[in-house]
Amino acid sequence: MSRGGKGANAWVLGEGRRRGRVTLLNPAPMRDEARDLVALADYLTPNETETERLAGVVVRGAESAAAAARALRSRGAGTVIVTLGAQGALACTADGLVRAPALPVAVVDTTAAGDAFNAGLAVALGEARALPDASATAALACTRRGAQPSLPRRDQVETLLGARGAAEARLNRRRAAP
């Protein structure tokens, strides 16, 4: 969330809506103002703690995250994506729930994971790509120390996604073998 004037975030989101643009709200760092912005977000991306504060529902895993996300959708958010750290992310859409598992990486520092997730999501939305792109971006950010130095480049995200896809294809071939 912006540190601008009290109404800066509401103005930006409202103006985006007025102009027919997709709006994305990451409520971090969580402030009370975020509760008033939920209905202006096409995509709302709180972590577990932020989800609890926004929805008033205790989040202790995927099931309670889904209940909280549904509560936030009922307050006007388009799609709610609850980031669940090592458990990945859970998206609650008009069509139902979508799980994006975390990609296995050697975690060094999670400082920029949320920022990386939101950046990856913004790129994915702009290019009509899938939620795992955002998860891969966040996973890679956890493999290095610091905030800005840990943010991955596109080619690194695509390499991780490609390696994961190749591993899943090998596993599926093994399962299909007689």
Side-chain angles (χ1 to χ4, degrees):
M1 291 200 23
S2 162
R3 295 184 192 265
K6 184 171 180 160
N9 291 312
W11 182 85
V12 168
L13 290 167
E15 193 64 13
R17 280 274 175 96
R18 187 181 73 75
R19 294 174 184 234
R21 302 294 190 249
V22 173
T23 58
L24 170 63
L25 175 62
N26 173 11
M30 180 62 194
R31 294 197 306 264
D32 289 339
E33 174 192 10
R35 289 183 184 91
D36 299 329
L37 303 175
V38 168
L40 294 172
D42 293 316
Y43 291 86
L44 177 65
T45 60
N47 64 24
E48 293 161 285
T49 303
E50 295 154 355
T51 301
E52 286 184 2
R53 287 188 59 195
L54 287 170
V57 174
V58 175
V59 175
R60 296 292 178 263
E63 189 173 314
S64 55
R70 285 186 193 98
L72 291 169
R73 284 201 74 252
S74 75
R75 292 187 32 219
T79 293
V80 178
I81 304 172
V82 181
T83 58
L84 300 167
Q87 282 69 53
L90 175 81
C92 182
T93 73
D95 297 327
L97 298 174
V98 177
R99 291 291 313 257
L103 284 89
V105 294
V107 175
V108 173
D109 181 5
T110 62
T111 300
D115 294 325
F117 181 89
N118 281 279
L121 178 61
V123 170
L125 290 171
E127 297 179 351
R129 293 172 64 130
L131 184 58
D133 291 26
S135 294
T137 306
L140 285 171
C142 294
T143 64
R144 292 186 287 265
R145 291 207 180 279
Q148 286 181 328
S150 71
L151 297 176
R153 294 184 323 266
R154 175 188 287 267
D155 64 311
Q156 294 169 318
V157 173
E158 290 174 351
T159 297
L160 179 59
L161 288 168
R164 180 174 185 228
E168 287 175 354
R170 283 192 303 275
L171 181 60
N172 288 336
R173 281 194 301 273
R174 279 190 217 127
R175 287 180 183 154

